mmCIF file of all heavy atoms in Angstrom:
data_model
loop_
_atom_site.group_PDB
_atom_site.id
_atom_site.type_symbol
_atom_site.label_atom_id
_atom_site.label_comp_id
_atom_site.label_asym_id
_atom_site.label_seq_id
_atom_site.Cartn_x
_atom_site.Cartn_y
_atom_site.Cartn_z
ATOM 1 N N ASP N 55 43.698 -161.036 -24.748
ATOM 2 C CA ASP N 55 42.762 -161.612 -25.724
ATOM 3 C C ASP N 55 41.350 -161.039 -25.550
ATOM 4 O O ASP N 55 41.014 -160.484 -24.499
ATOM 5 C CB ASP N 55 42.711 -163.131 -25.589
ATOM 6 C CG ASP N 55 44.010 -163.790 -26.013
ATOM 7 O OD1 ASP N 55 44.836 -163.116 -26.655
ATOM 8 O OD2 ASP N 55 44.192 -164.981 -25.703
ATOM 9 N N LEU N 56 40.555 -161.209 -26.588
ATOM 10 C CA LEU N 56 39.158 -160.784 -26.561
ATOM 11 C C LEU N 56 38.279 -161.960 -26.165
ATOM 12 O O LEU N 56 38.428 -163.067 -26.690
ATOM 13 C CB LEU N 56 38.728 -160.275 -27.937
ATOM 14 C CG LEU N 56 39.551 -159.152 -28.570
ATOM 15 C CD1 LEU N 56 39.001 -158.812 -29.951
ATOM 16 C CD2 LEU N 56 39.568 -157.914 -27.682
ATOM 17 N N ILE N 57 37.345 -161.718 -25.266
ATOM 18 C CA ILE N 57 36.343 -162.718 -24.888
ATOM 19 C C ILE N 57 34.991 -162.174 -25.343
ATOM 20 O O ILE N 57 34.507 -161.170 -24.811
ATOM 21 C CB ILE N 57 36.341 -162.977 -23.374
ATOM 22 C CG1 ILE N 57 37.725 -163.475 -22.916
ATOM 23 C CG2 ILE N 57 35.258 -163.990 -23.012
ATOM 24 C CD1 ILE N 57 37.850 -163.643 -21.411
ATOM 25 N N ILE N 58 34.410 -162.816 -26.340
ATOM 26 C CA ILE N 58 33.162 -162.321 -26.924
ATOM 27 C C ILE N 58 32.086 -163.398 -26.853
ATOM 28 O O ILE N 58 32.371 -164.582 -26.661
ATOM 29 C CB ILE N 58 33.353 -161.872 -28.391
ATOM 30 C CG1 ILE N 58 33.619 -163.072 -29.312
ATOM 31 C CG2 ILE N 58 34.492 -160.859 -28.502
ATOM 32 C CD1 ILE N 58 33.662 -162.725 -30.788
ATOM 33 N N GLN N 59 30.843 -162.992 -27.046
ATOM 34 C CA GLN N 59 29.743 -163.951 -27.098
ATOM 35 C C GLN N 59 29.917 -164.894 -28.285
ATOM 36 O O GLN N 59 30.349 -164.485 -29.357
ATOM 37 C CB GLN N 59 28.413 -163.211 -27.246
ATOM 38 C CG GLN N 59 27.992 -162.434 -26.025
ATOM 39 C CD GLN N 59 26.855 -161.483 -26.352
ATOM 40 O OE1 GLN N 59 27.048 -160.273 -26.375
ATOM 41 N NE2 GLN N 59 25.671 -162.011 -26.617
ATOM 42 N N SER N 60 29.567 -166.137 -28.059
ATOM 43 C CA SER N 60 29.564 -167.077 -29.174
ATOM 44 C C SER N 60 28.288 -166.886 -29.997
ATOM 45 O O SER N 60 27.397 -166.122 -29.629
ATOM 46 C CB SER N 60 29.672 -168.514 -28.663
ATOM 47 O OG SER N 60 28.590 -168.795 -27.797
ATOM 48 N N PHE N 61 28.209 -167.595 -31.119
ATOM 49 C CA PHE N 61 27.144 -167.352 -32.095
ATOM 50 C C PHE N 61 26.015 -168.372 -32.033
ATOM 51 O O PHE N 61 26.200 -169.519 -31.616
ATOM 52 C CB PHE N 61 27.731 -167.377 -33.506
ATOM 53 C CG PHE N 61 28.710 -166.264 -33.779
ATOM 54 C CD1 PHE N 61 30.073 -166.530 -33.859
ATOM 55 C CD2 PHE N 61 28.277 -164.964 -33.944
ATOM 56 C CE1 PHE N 61 30.981 -165.512 -34.107
ATOM 57 C CE2 PHE N 61 29.174 -163.943 -34.191
ATOM 58 C CZ PHE N 61 30.529 -164.214 -34.272
ATOM 59 N N SER N 62 24.853 -167.922 -32.509
ATOM 60 C CA SER N 62 23.716 -168.802 -32.756
ATOM 61 C C SER N 62 23.438 -168.796 -34.250
ATOM 62 O O SER N 62 23.163 -167.736 -34.824
ATOM 63 C CB SER N 62 22.471 -168.317 -32.002
ATOM 64 O OG SER N 62 22.669 -168.360 -30.607
ATOM 65 N N ASP N 63 23.540 -169.953 -34.875
ATOM 66 C CA ASP N 63 23.181 -170.093 -36.292
ATOM 67 C C ASP N 63 21.724 -170.524 -36.334
ATOM 68 O O ASP N 63 21.387 -171.668 -36.052
ATOM 69 C CB ASP N 63 24.081 -171.129 -36.965
ATOM 70 C CG ASP N 63 23.904 -171.169 -38.481
ATOM 71 O OD1 ASP N 63 22.860 -170.686 -38.968
ATOM 72 O OD2 ASP N 63 24.803 -171.686 -39.171
ATOM 73 N N MET N 64 20.864 -169.605 -36.711
ATOM 74 C CA MET N 64 19.424 -169.820 -36.570
ATOM 75 C C MET N 64 18.753 -170.427 -37.805
ATOM 76 O O MET N 64 17.534 -170.608 -37.822
ATOM 77 C CB MET N 64 18.750 -168.500 -36.197
ATOM 78 C CG MET N 64 19.273 -167.896 -34.898
ATOM 79 S SD MET N 64 18.959 -168.919 -33.452
ATOM 80 C CE MET N 64 17.222 -168.554 -33.160
ATOM 81 N N HIS N 65 19.558 -170.768 -38.815
ATOM 82 C CA HIS N 65 18.982 -171.460 -39.974
ATOM 83 C C HIS N 65 20.103 -172.158 -40.736
ATOM 84 O O HIS N 65 20.904 -171.520 -41.412
ATOM 85 C CB HIS N 65 18.247 -170.487 -40.899
ATOM 86 C CG HIS N 65 17.537 -171.169 -42.033
ATOM 87 N ND1 HIS N 65 16.379 -171.886 -41.854
ATOM 88 C CD2 HIS N 65 17.818 -171.263 -43.353
ATOM 89 C CE1 HIS N 65 15.977 -172.377 -43.024
ATOM 90 N NE2 HIS N 65 16.842 -172.021 -43.953
ATOM 91 N N ILE N 66 20.144 -173.469 -40.609
ATOM 92 C CA ILE N 66 21.177 -174.259 -41.269
ATOM 93 C C ILE N 66 20.620 -175.635 -41.621
ATOM 94 O O ILE N 66 19.901 -176.236 -40.828
ATOM 95 C CB ILE N 66 22.434 -174.366 -40.378
ATOM 96 C CG1 ILE N 66 23.480 -175.279 -41.012
ATOM 97 C CG2 ILE N 66 22.093 -174.782 -38.970
ATOM 98 C CD1 ILE N 66 24.817 -175.261 -40.282
#
Side-chain angles (χ1 to χ4, degrees):
D55 292 346
L56 305 178
I57 301 175
I58 69 173
Q59 290 167 250
S60 59
F61 295 107
S62 297
D63 189 341
M64 301 297 282
H65 185 74
I66 176 172

